[in-house]
Amino acid sequence: MLLINTRRDTLLAPLQAVSGIVERRHTLPILSNVLLEKTGDVLTLLATDIEIQITSSTGGASGEGNGAVTVGARKLQEILRSLPEAAEVSLTLDDRRLLVKAGKSRFSLQTLPAEDFPGMALVDGEAMRLTLAQKEFRRLLGQTQFAMAALDVRYYLNGLLLLVDGSELRAVATDGHRLAYASMPLEHPPGALRAEGAGRQELILPRKTVIELYRLLGDNDDPLTVEMLPNQIRFRFGQINLVSKLIDGRFPDYQRVIPASLKNVVSVGRAALLQSMVRAAILTNEKFRGVRLMLSEGSLRIMAANAEQEEALEEIEVDYSGEALDVGFNVAYLLDVLNNRSEETIEWGFNDANSSALLTIPGNERFRYVVMPMRI
């Protein structure tokens, strides 16, 4: 049966949208597949890893009748990507094989039954709904996601706290050594942004969900709808629906981590600091990645050394007239925040060499980055 006959990009775009969560090796072989379901001239693609499910659809999928099948997501994606952009592609279902044809190219792929595909169940219940611009939410994720833990035994750190508090949406991530906080107002002009449901909602998004959302969201004003339930969250934007389970745990009290008062604040150009950090990082210890920051009136010196007794020294001018300071930091933590900001100036506040430092943006109360010092 001729399932689909369409242009390459018509099929490739939705496939790329859903295949990011597909694992190369999985205990259930069918989870390495993508579900293709055709109804009329609409093709729906669905992928899941049991924790996250992404659905995308596209029109213009002409073919004989309707049908559904699952096929290896990575293989199909690599085949389509290797074809010419203007290629016409047909998918034909022949017994348990999916035949992919384009010009004089032919591929025969193994399939598994669509009825065996383990789609996630959508949870019923009262949901808090937000509608906001894609670029605004993507920016919120970009300002915080780099501080998430990766494989921490404290599972609640391997994700991002999303909190709705009245007319404000907050995102917080921490790995125990640094913390990133960002917020945005839920009070834009009517129709641009709205929140339905009163009160407060607090949940933890899994790391993989956050990374996929950041990859898929556009840098535009197109709408994003968020539905928050007690143990599930759903995102709808464009032709994409993403459903994710939540991390069941209690996120640390981030407000206690952010310093309430600071004795000294230094103002420094972000670009100059970033370039100096990048150069100094070349000669840091590969395991500990430590750099020394020596601050004095009008000057910031950055030093790095490694086990081969190689050294790097950078010096930049800063706006500072307070007490001298000599403190060590993991350079990767500093590079993360500097690479994810675009402002010209960064403010660095501290009390002493043994307490956490606070990096902020002048005139911006909606971003905070806390980083713990390290001994060097």
Side-chain angles (χ1 to χ4, degrees):
M1 179 180 71
L2 177 61
L3 190 65
I4 302 163
N5 186 31
T6 187
R7 293 176 63 87
R8 184 202 78 152
D9 288 352
T10 302
L11 183 57
L12 181 58
L15 179 59
Q16 288 177 324
V18 304
S19 61
I21 61 171
V22 176
E23 303 288 350
R24 292 188 180 274
R25 292 189 178 91
H26 212 290
T27 52
L28 289 175
I30 200 167
L31 291 180
S32 297
N33 285 12
V34 58
L35 173 65
L36 307 176
E37 188 170 7
K38 179 177 175 291
T39 305
D41 65 349
V42 176
L43 175 67
T44 301
L45 295 89
L46 186 150
T48 183
D49 67 354
I50 302 299
E51 302 295 321
I52 312 170
Q53 176 174 293
I54 304 179
T55 307
S56 183
S57 60
T58 181
S62 60
E64 299 172 1
N66 302 323
V69 69
T70 79
V71 66
R74 301 285 184 184
K75 291 177 183 176
L76 181 57
Q77 179 175 302
E78 288 172 7
I79 288 170
L80 293 174
R81 288 178 61 184
S82 67
L83 295 173
E85 290 185 14
E88 289 287 333
V89 179
S90 68
L91 304 184
T92 304
L93 193 56
D94 183 10
D95 193 17
R96 294 188 177 182
R97 315 292 291 183
L98 184 70
L99 306 179
V100 182
K101 300 179 182 178
K104 295 184 178 180
S105 300
R106 302 287 187 274
F107 306 89
S108 177
L109 301 177
Q110 186 180 32
T111 66
L112 290 171
E115 54 268 23
D116 294 343
F117 198 77
M120 286 178 61
L122 298 181
V123 175
D124 293 326
E126 187 175 344
M128 174 178 283
R129 293 181 178 85
L130 308 177
T131 302
L132 57 158
Q134 289 188 38
K135 70 178 182 182
E136 296 294 336
F137 191 71
R138 189 175 190 274
R139 184 180 300 131
L140 194 73
L141 297 181
Q143 292 175 359
T144 52
Q145 65 167 353
F146 55 84
M148 295 186 295
L151 296 170
D152 202 294
V153 293
R154 297 164 293 181
Y155 56 92
Y156 48 84
L157 297 185
N158 301 319
L160 180 140
L161 175 69
L162 200 62
L163 188 150
V164 177
D165 190 2
S167 61
E168 188 173 60
L169 177 63
R170 303 172 190 164
V172 186
T174 180
D175 61 5
H177 303 285
R178 36 74 179 277
L179 179 146
Y181 163 95
S183 69
M184 60 177 287
L186 294 176
E187 49 196 16
H188 282 232
L193 189 66
R194 58 189 174 85
E196 299 174 0
R200 176 186 174 97
Q201 182 78 294
E202 185 173 336
L203 45 83
I204 305 175
L205 300 182
R207 175 186 176 88
K208 190 172 180 179
T209 301
V210 174
I211 292 172
E212 280 303 304
L213 275 171
Y214 189 75
R215 180 179 74 89
L216 293 171
L217 287 168
D219 189 18
N220 53 52
D221 292 316
D222 293 347
L224 162 70
T225 300
V226 185
E227 295 184 1
M228 302 178 179
L229 293 104
N231 57 357
Q232 195 176 82
I233 188 166
R234 304 169 195 161
F235 300 88
R236 295 199 307 271
F237 51 100
Q239 300 300 316
I240 296 173
N241 286 348
L242 188 152
V243 181
S244 173
K245 293 182 179 179
L246 300 173
I247 294 177
D248 184 16
R250 186 171 181 83
F251 201 82
D253 185 355
Y254 65 90
Q255 292 177 324
R256 294 181 58 184
V257 176
I258 301 175
S261 59
L262 299 163
K263 292 192 300 184
N264 301 287
V265 177
V266 56
S267 182
V268 56
R270 185 195 64 85
L273 181 60
L274 173 60
Q275 292 163 8
S276 295
M277 289 285 184
V278 168
R279 291 190 291 266
I282 297 170
L283 296 186
T284 56
N285 184 293
E286 291 184 4
K287 183 177 180 180
F288 300 107
R289 304 299 309 278
V291 293
R292 285 177 62 193
L293 273 62
M294 293 166 286
L295 188 61
S296 58
E297 185 172 350
S299 173
L300 174 63
R301 301 173 73 200
I302 303 167
M303 286 190 63
N306 56 33
E308 288 76 32
Q309 297 184 340
E310 298 170 325
E311 294 184 351
L313 174 62
E314 293 278 339
E315 184 170 359
I316 55 178
E317 295 182 0
V318 294
D319 182 9
Y320 182 70
S321 58
E323 61 187 52
L325 180 74
D326 188 339
V327 61
F329 289 103
N330 184 319
V331 71
Y333 296 163
L334 299 175
L335 289 174
D336 279 343
V337 67
L338 294 173
N339 277 315
N340 282 279
R341 302 304 311 188
S342 58
E343 293 82 2
E344 292 184 1
T345 305
I346 295 286
E347 287 187 347
W348 169 33
F350 62 92
N351 287 316
D352 55 53
N354 298 313
S355 59
S356 56
L358 177 65
L359 279 75
T360 58
I361 308 300
N364 183 352
E365 296 295 323
R366 295 193 173 277
F367 176 77
R368 297 283 184 272
Y369 185 70
V370 182
V371 57
M372 296 293 295
M374 64 181 295
R375 290 189 175 183
I376 297 179

